[in-house]
């Protein structure tokens, strides 16, 4: 928690703008940074969300849809509250299965059902899927547009100079500024 607060303070002090993925890609910001969270852990709501709001920052929350309303994870009501506050609620699959391990029919259902569940909560189109474990880009690339997604977020380390796939830099409690 201390590291996260320190990281947010660093971004704010250095004039980075915590925005959603679509805002960052719009080109309307001088120093955009997209902060992302995977899975839907309750700490995203109880800790990260208030810290982001305190700094007028937004973030992307990639939700494993089967975990909504289960112990240790966010509820539909919490996700809706975050969405209404400007946070982006997107998908992280239905069951958190590695996309690379699924047969074609199951892969399509994993992507389709998670998207539908998030859209039922937010009432807007879910545009991004974050790959669990960062696995399955090769399998998802031919499907994502057909299923109504615009972006695939990976675990590939890097800054984004192009729109697809979206690279990320993993930050943990051990990551120094």
């Amino acid at each position: 928690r201390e590291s996260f607060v320190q990281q947010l303070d660093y971004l704010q002090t250095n004039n980075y703008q915590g925005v959603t993925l679509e805002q960052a890609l719009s080109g309307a910001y001088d120093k955009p940074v997209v902060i992302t969270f995977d899975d839907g852990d309750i700490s995203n709501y109880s800790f990260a969300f208030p810290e982001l709001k305190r700094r007028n920052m937004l973030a992307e929350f990639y939700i494993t849809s089967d975990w909504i309303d289960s112990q240790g994870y966010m509820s539909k009501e919490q996700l809706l509250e975050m969405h209404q506050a400007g946070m982006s609620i997107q998908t992280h699959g239905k069951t958190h299965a590695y996309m690379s391990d699924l047969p074609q029919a199951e892969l399509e259902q994993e992507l389709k059902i998670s998207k539908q569940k998030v859209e039922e909560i937010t009432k807007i189109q879910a545009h991004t899927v974050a790959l669990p474990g960062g696995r399955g880009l090769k399998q998802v690339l031919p499907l994502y547009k057909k299923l109504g997604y615009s972006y695939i977020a990976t675990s590939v380390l890097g800054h984004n100079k192009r729109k697809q796939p979206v690279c990320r830099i993993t930050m943990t409690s051990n990551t120094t500024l």
Side-chain angles (χ1 to χ4, degrees):
R1 291 175 185 247
E2 290 172 12
S3 294
F4 179 68
V5 167
Q6 188 179 33
Q7 292 160 3
L8 290 181
D9 288 344
Y10 172 86
L11 292 171
Q12 188 173 43
T13 299
N14 289 282
N15 300 312
Y16 284 93
Q17 300 147 310
V19 297
T20 66
L21 177 61
E22 287 195 318
Q23 289 172 327
L25 294 173
S26 74
Y29 296 86
D30 294 328
K31 292 178 79 173
V33 63
V34 180
I35 301 165
T36 67
F37 299 86
D38 290 358
D39 302 334
D41 186 274
I42 190 64
S43 67
N44 295 175
Y45 176 80
S46 63
F47 180 72
F49 177 48
E51 292 295 337
L52 290 162
K53 283 194 326 184
R54 192 171 291 121
R55 292 164 181 82
N56 294 314
M57 292 180 170
L58 301 177
E60 297 273 322
F61 293 85
Y62 298 116
I63 307 303
T64 303
S65 62
D66 275 2
W67 298 352
I68 297 170
D69 287 325
S70 62
Q71 186 171 357
Y73 295 92
M74 290 186 279
S75 68
K76 290 176 189 163
E77 294 77 19
Q78 291 165 333
L79 291 167
L80 180 59
E81 180 185 344
M82 290 171 58
H83 166 70
Q84 290 172 339
M87 303 298 161
S88 178
I89 310 300
Q90 302 298 320
T91 73
H92 195 48
K94 178 182 178 299
T95 64
H96 203 275
Y98 296 140
M99 306 292 180
S100 56
D101 297 347
L102 298 175
Q104 181 76 16
E106 283 182 48
L107 174 61
E108 287 192 35
Q109 287 302 301
E110 185 80 15
L111 294 167
K112 186 177 178 182
I113 292 170
S114 63
K115 187 175 191 313
Q116 289 171 342
K117 202 162 185 181
V118 165
E119 290 173 349
E120 285 172 15
I121 295 167
T122 64
K123 306 294 187 229
I124 64 167
Q125 183 180 2
H127 53 71
T128 306
V129 58
L131 303 176
R135 300 179 189 170
L137 180 61
K138 184 175 85 173
Q139 291 81 2
V140 174
L141 268 174
L143 295 173
Y144 79 101
K145 284 188 179 180
K146 175 180 108 172
L147 296 174
Y149 289 101
S150 299
Y151 310 103
I152 303 168
T154 68
S155 295
V156 175
L157 180 68
H159 297 275
N160 292 290
K161 305 250 189 272
R162 62 188 188 292
K163 292 185 179 181
Q164 201 60 259
V166 176
C167 299
R168 300 191 285 169
I169 299 171
T170 302
M171 304 295 284
T172 68
S173 60
N174 298 324
T175 305
T176 63
L177 286 177

